[in-house]
Amino acid sequence: MSGRNAVVFCSASFDIDEKYNDLARDVVRTLHGCGYGMVSGGTVKGTMKVIADEARSLGMEHVGIIPVFMKGMEYSDASRLVWTDTMSERKEAMRAGTCLAVALPGGIGTLDELIETLTLAKIGRYPGKIVAFNLDGFYDPLKALLDHYVATGMLDARSRGLVSFPTTLEEFAACIQ
Ligand code: AMP
């Protein structure tokens, strides 16, 4: 991929409120409008399919990274698919070459991807911006946990500040410029 690329972490679930998928489409459109290409988990599950469909309809460059054991679940209309052996390699490959990591509201897989990225940024191993879209307070419990870590000395305030929690598309657009 050439140019600026963003990795998007999001839900693999079909059983979520449609407002999260509407947000996902808006986020992809905003990324595209700001000149980003997209990297995703590359499957046809849940919000991952929603963002892949949106990228395809926009003609946006979209690379899907998928472990070989998920063969049959791949989003075959991605610009490119990259196969990995493990979930850990997948996370590494998803982040590679990106200058922005976006976590949409998601489950434990999304949380794992977000926290691993933040941990790497803390030790200087992820150079990009990190944004968790806090739609309707979805990430308020995580914000509170991170603040608790800072208050107890478990996390330094600088590292806490490496992740932004926009609540609107306008705030999101400002975060990713
Ligand atoms: P979750 O947030 O728990 O729905 O997990 C979705 C995120 O974790 C995605 O960004 C994927 O990269 C990864 N993931 C976890 N489980 C799956 C799955 N069954 N199929 C595809 N991706 C998954």
Side-chain angles (χ1 to χ4, degrees), residues 7 9 91-98 113 116-117 120 126:
V7 57
F9 306 128
K91 284 184 282 181
E92 204 63 46
M94 285 173 80
R95 272 188 300 268
T98 65
E113 291 164 336
E116 182 175 284
T117 305
L120 288 168
Y126 181 71

Side-chain angles (χ1 to χ4, degrees), residues 58 121 137 162:
L58 292 166
L162 291 172

Side-chain angles (χ1 to χ4, degrees), residues 46-68:
T47 308
M48 261 179 293
K49 178 173 187 318
V50 171
I51 62 171
D53 283 344
E54 192 62 29
R56 191 179 60 155
S57 75
L58 292 166
M60 179 184 189
E61 173 118 39
H62 166 218
V63 176
I65 316 283
I66 181 165
V68 284

Side-chain angles (χ1 to χ4, degrees), residues 94-114:
M94 285 173 80
R95 272 188 300 268
T98 65
C99 58
L100 172 66
V102 179
L104 298 173
I108 55 173
T110 303
L111 182 65
D112 172 48
E113 291 164 336
L114 171 62

Side-chain angles (χ1 to χ4, degrees), residues 29-101:
R29 279 196 292 276
T30 303
L31 290 171
H32 182 58
C34 291
Y36 284 92
M38 182 174 79
V39 181
S40 83
T43 76
V44 290
K45 296 199 71 182
T47 308
M48 261 179 293
K49 178 173 187 318
V50 171
I51 62 171
D53 283 344
E54 192 62 29
R56 191 179 60 155
S57 75
L58 292 166
M60 179 184 189
E61 173 118 39
H62 166 218
V63 176
I65 316 283
I66 181 165
V68 284
F69 60 82
M70 286 186 188
K71 184 102 191 124
M73 265 186 228
E74 68 272 22
Y75 189 87
S76 42
D77 284 332
S79 315
R80 190 158 59 91
L81 285 173
V82 175
W83 295 93
T84 65
D85 286 331
T86 68
M87 291 294 268
S88 292
E89 286 170 17
R90 180 202 216 183
K91 284 184 282 181
E92 204 63 46
M94 285 173 80
R95 272 188 300 268
T98 65
C99 58
L100 172 66

